[in-house]
Structures are given as C-alpha cells and as structure tokens.
Amino acid sequence: MPPHPHSANNETSVSRYADDAANRLYQRVWGGRIHFGLWLSDNDTMATAAARVPMTLARDAGVCVTDNVVEVGSGAARTAIDLARTFGCRIVATNHSPAHKQLADRAIAEAGFDHLISSATADAEQMPFDDGRFSVYWAQEVLVHLGDKAAGFSEAHRVLSRCGRIVFTEQTSRPGRMTTGERSRVAARHGSDDLWDRGDFVEAMEAAGFGRTRTADWSTHLAVHFAALCRRIDDNRAELERDCGTALVARQLDNWRFAQALAREGKIGWHLFIGHKS
C-alpha cells in the first residue's frame, strides 16, 4: 500500500511498493500476489497457497453474483479477477497509487473482465464513493498500514449497504511479547505506531457499527509463508541481485527472516475478520 499522509513512518514502510527495483523483487519473489497464503500441503507453491485465500474468504463471506464489491489495496487486481471469474460479481478495485491503478487497469483488460471490474484511485480513510454503494468491503493485509484505522473502519461502514459485509485478512501483533527494538521495527514496516492484535481489530469493527463479527486464526501459516519467501531468495539470489541490486535483496531477506522468527515465536499472527453492517 502506498504511503499514507497521516503516518510519520509510512515512507519507511511502504516506499518498497513504489520503487521500481523493489516492486520487481516483490513481484518475482511473491509470484504476483503480495498476500499471505494458506499452506495446506507440503506440495503447495507460493502461487497455490496465495490463490487459496480469496476463495476461502469469498466462501466464508457468502460472496455471490449479485454482490457489488469494493476491494481496498487491489494491487494488480489479481483477487478482483478471481472473484469476477468465479462468482460473476461486480468489483471496484481501488489503489492509493495512480501507478498501481494503471497496473490494475492493464491486468483487468488483459483478463477480459473490464465488463465486471472497474478500478479507482482511493484513500481508504476518505473513500470517493456514495453511502451504501457496496455490499462487500474486501481487503487483504492493507488496513494494518492505515494511520487512522478508526477512520478506515468508519468509511468501510459508510460505503456498505444495509446488511453489507466487511471481510479482510490482517497481520496482527502481540507487542507485549516483543522487545522494544522488535516493536519499533514492526511499527516501521507497518507505517503505523499502533500494533494491533485480533481483539483490537474486532473492537474497532464494533465501534464502527459492525456486528456479528467473527474471526479465524491463521497464524500458523505465517511462518511457513515467510520461510517460503526466504527460500525463493536463497534459490534465486544471484539472478535477483543482478536485476534488483545486492543491497535491496539483502535487506528484504533480512526483513523476511526477522518476520519468520517473530511468527514462530508467536509475536505476530495472521487473522481473518468478517463483520456485518448493523
């Protein structure tokens, strides 16, 4: 997600998505989907684990052909295309960055789904949509980066229709288990000084007006995913260094090894959240 104006740390945390070399590294290592995956088999690849998530979310949220979905932080619209192809629903794929909107536009056109998917540049804290326009608000590992998460949830509630659903996945934190240095490093990566656990997200959802909230703890998949990222770099390091630069590759490998250790120690987690507009 692009830098957010309300967070002092966001330039540190998210400029990696805008820099050309960093973007190439992310695309090549993550495989086009910059989202965590559900690893259910030793034979899973990064692509299959990550592609499994939107289908699981859609099933749990009851997505269907009549839904009008807004996806926040869509990136190259891979999830939006999955939803349109599988369910035939309408989707607005949003990004904060105009450059990422262009990526989404190109991917949507190439996939042949511009009759169901449109894209927009949008700030999650001030969305440019009418009240009650959508039946589903969708985000994957995006809301953790917001400088004002309460505003983000308020906007999600506003743009949803009566009985609309919010569905998102998010990295969670247990700052009480972390050292001061670990907390600072995670906050810098998030671009937000608040380090929220599952209960903090649920509380914010309910404060915004969402009811019938439910969650699923997918934290066991997190260390597996970060380990896979590290292996991808180790297995292709020389080629990645030639394309993206030695310093960048070393820095990202260190970041993902750090995250893998935190996940193994239960200091960070990953959760699914679903709520209904009351």
Side-chain angles (χ1 to χ4, degrees), residues 4 6 123-127 137 143 146-159 194 196 204 208 210:
H4 197 282
H6 302 303
D123 182 339
E125 295 179 20
Q126 294 179 309
M127 303 190 79
Y137 177 104
L143 304 182
L146 297 186
D148 187 346
K149 294 180 179 57
F153 282 111
S154 178
E155 281 294 273
H157 190 272
R158 180 186 67 77
V159 302
D194 50 21
W196 283 15
F210 291 103

Side-chain angles (χ1 to χ4, degrees), residues 39 218-229 231 256 259-265:
W39 297 79
W218 288 350
S219 300
T220 56
H221 300 272
L222 200 56
V224 180
H225 197 90
F226 281 121
L229 292 173
R231 284 196 304 273
W256 291 330
Q260 180 187 1
L262 292 186
R264 283 178 171 171
E265 295 164 8

Side-chain angles (χ1 to χ4, degrees), residues 11-277:
E11 188 64 31
T12 301
S13 71
V14 297
S15 59
R16 61 188 183 274
Y17 297 119
D19 176 78
D20 286 342
N23 187 55
R24 289 198 305 275
L25 179 63
Y26 267 73
Q27 292 294 327
R28 293 184 62 179
V29 175
W30 289 72
R33 296 176 186 269
I34 307 178
H35 299 300
F36 300 134
L38 288 169
W39 297 79
L40 304 183
S41 164
D42 290 340
N43 296 321
D44 279 345
T45 65
M46 186 83 66
T48 57
R52 189 175 282 129
V53 175
M55 294 301 98
T56 303
L57 297 182
R59 180 199 65 206
D60 289 353
V63 173
C64 64
V65 68
T66 58
D67 276 317
N68 191 11
V69 181
V70 59
E71 183 189 11
V72 178
S74 182
R78 294 287 295 273
T79 293
I81 292 166
D82 286 346
L83 295 177
R85 178 182 290 116
T86 304
F87 302 100
C89 53
R90 294 190 174 276
I91 305 141
V92 177
T94 75
N95 283 294
H96 195 285
S97 162
H100 290 165
K101 180 186 183 301
Q102 292 177 1
L103 288 176
D105 287 336
R106 185 162 58 249
I108 292 164
E110 290 174 353
F113 282 100
D114 42 6
H115 62 296
L116 289 177
I117 309 171
S118 60
S119 71
T121 303
D123 182 339
E125 295 179 20
Q126 294 179 309
M127 303 190 79
F129 305 118
D130 292 337
D131 295 359
R133 175 173 170 179
F134 303 101
S135 58
V136 176
Y137 177 104
W138 183 292
Q140 290 177 247
E141 293 86 58
V142 173
L143 304 182
V144 73
H145 296 302
L146 297 186
D148 187 346
K149 294 180 179 57
F153 282 111
S154 178
E155 281 294 273
H157 190 272
R158 180 186 67 77
V159 302
L160 282 173
S161 59
R162 184 172 178 267
C163 299
R165 296 94 78 202
I166 181 173
V167 52
F168 65 98
T169 55
E170 201 51 86
Q171 183 178 312
T172 54
S173 300
R174 292 185 174 178
R177 297 186 177 186
M178 298 180 192
T179 66
T180 300
E182 288 170 341
R183 289 194 297 270
S184 296
R185 187 169 177 179
V186 172
R189 291 290 291 175
H190 288 178
S192 177
D193 291 334
D194 50 21
L195 300 179
W196 283 15
D197 200 352
R198 182 201 68 85
D200 298 308
F201 280 103
V202 171
E203 183 177 345
M205 291 168 66
E206 294 175 346
F210 291 103
R212 293 163 56 198
T213 58
R214 56 193 176 96
T215 68
D217 188 347
W218 288 350
S219 300
T220 56
H221 300 272
L222 200 56
V224 180
H225 197 90
F226 281 121
L229 292 173
C230 295
R231 284 196 304 273
R232 292 280 288 255
I233 288 186
D234 287 333
D235 292 344
N236 302 280
R237 185 154 188 170
E239 181 182 351
L240 290 170
E241 288 178 343
R242 284 194 298 270
D243 182 30
C244 306
T246 301
L248 175 62
V249 171
R251 183 166 66 249
Q252 293 298 350
L253 180 58
D254 180 63
N255 285 332
W256 291 330
R257 284 175 174 164
F258 169 71
Q260 180 187 1
L262 292 186
R264 283 178 171 171
E265 295 164 8
K267 295 177 178 180
I268 59 174
W270 182 44
H271 286 77
L272 158 69
F273 300 85
I274 296 176
H276 297 255
K277 184 170 180 175

